[in-house]
Amino acid sequence: RTFCREVVFAHMDCQSLNILTPNDNNGDDNDEEKQKDNAGEDNDIASIRLIDFEYAGMNPRAADLGNTFAEFCDMNNLKPDYGAQYPTAEEQNVFLTTYVCENSPELAKQLDMNGEWDDFLSVMRKEVGKHSLISHLGWACWSILQNSSSSIEFDYVTYGKLRLQGYRFFKKQFWPHLKFNPSQRQS
């Protein structure tokens, strides 16, 4: 849990429209100015770029990963199917294992040596899932503000409603014991 909750620089908007890949160059793979890595070698990975850092900041890493997994659902087209589109446990394991190996090689080595990957990934998936609620609630609030102030033509009201649906969906999944009933509030 410590690794998941560690506060790190987080993008917080890692969705498909903010990831530029080598194929985003209008199909011109023979461009003379092909991307090179730091050593001057051809490297497609070196040409993958994240853009749109306006919501980036210091956050728990699980919040950023939760947002990334929530974005697997078709939010750009306002057609999310949270049950079908959220990454499966196997897909999350592949992503999270790669993430840990790239960001914390020492931790990955320790997990390898102690045979602890399965337990670690199980905890990490739960933490990321719980933190996905931050994403849904945050983007729902954002949509309310954008609806009254943005000049961009977009259905912010529908987007906000879909994000609240996502919040409720994942709250039931990751926090099933928490029930809120306003009529039972104590004075």
Side-chain angles (χ1 to χ4, degrees), residues 15-73:
Q15 47 104 343
S16 62
L17 298 175
N18 291 337
I19 303 170
L20 302 180
T21 64
N23 293 333
D24 291 336
N25 62 1
N26 298 321
D28 186 10
D29 289 330
N30 295 319
D31 190 331
E32 289 180 26
E33 295 182 29
K34 190 174 183 180
Q35 294 289 328
K36 306 280 184 181
D37 67 13
N38 290 337
E41 301 294 323
D42 291 343
N43 187 343
D44 285 342
I45 292 174
S47 62
I48 294 173
R49 301 284 186 251
L50 288 179
I51 61 169
D52 192 3
F53 283 82
E54 67 187 279
Y55 302 109
M58 301 304 288
N59 288 289
R61 83 172 70 239
D64 197 29
L65 294 168
N67 182 75
T68 300
F69 288 169
E71 293 292 351
F72 274 55
C73 305

Side-chain angles (χ1 to χ4, degrees), residues 1 5 62 65-67 69-70 73 82-83 86-89 92 96 121-136 165-179:
R1 287 190 178 127
R5 294 180 181 180
L65 294 168
N67 182 75
F69 288 169
C73 305
Y82 299 114
Y86 192 81
T88 65
Q92 290 178 60
L96 296 171
L121 290 171
S122 177
V123 169
M124 194 162 179
R125 283 193 316 272
K126 288 176 188 166
E127 285 292 309
V128 168
K130 289 177 179 180
H131 281 79
S132 72
L133 282 104
I134 295 170
S135 168
H136 288 294
Q165 287 173 6
Y167 175 86
R168 287 189 291 273
F169 179 88
F170 290 106
K171 182 173 175 256
K172 284 180 189 173
Q173 187 172 350
F174 294 106
W175 298 91
H177 60 285
L178 293 180
K179 307 250 187 264

Side-chain angles (χ1 to χ4, degrees), residues 61-146:
R61 83 172 70 239
D64 197 29
L65 294 168
N67 182 75
T68 300
F69 288 169
E71 293 292 351
F72 274 55
C73 305
D74 195 3
M75 295 307 306
N76 291 333
N77 296 309
L78 303 178
K79 296 179 182 181
D81 181 342
Y82 299 114
Q85 296 169 336
Y86 192 81
T88 65
E90 184 177 315
E91 291 167 332
Q92 290 178 60
N93 285 348
V94 169
F95 185 98
L96 296 171
T97 299
T98 302
Y99 180 91
V100 171
C101 289
E102 290 295 319
N103 288 284
S104 186
E106 294 84 21
L107 175 60
K109 185 176 180 180
Q110 177 187 349
L111 293 169
D112 280 338
M113 288 181 0
N114 297 333
E116 296 173 334
W117 272 108
D118 289 342
D119 291 340
F120 178 84
L121 290 171
S122 177
V123 169
M124 194 162 179
R125 283 193 316 272
K126 288 176 188 166
E127 285 292 309
V128 168
K130 289 177 179 180
H131 281 79
S132 72
L133 282 104
I134 295 170
S135 168
H136 288 294
L137 199 55
W139 288 115
C141 293
W142 170 87
S143 67
I144 292 167
L145 295 171
Q146 292 299 310

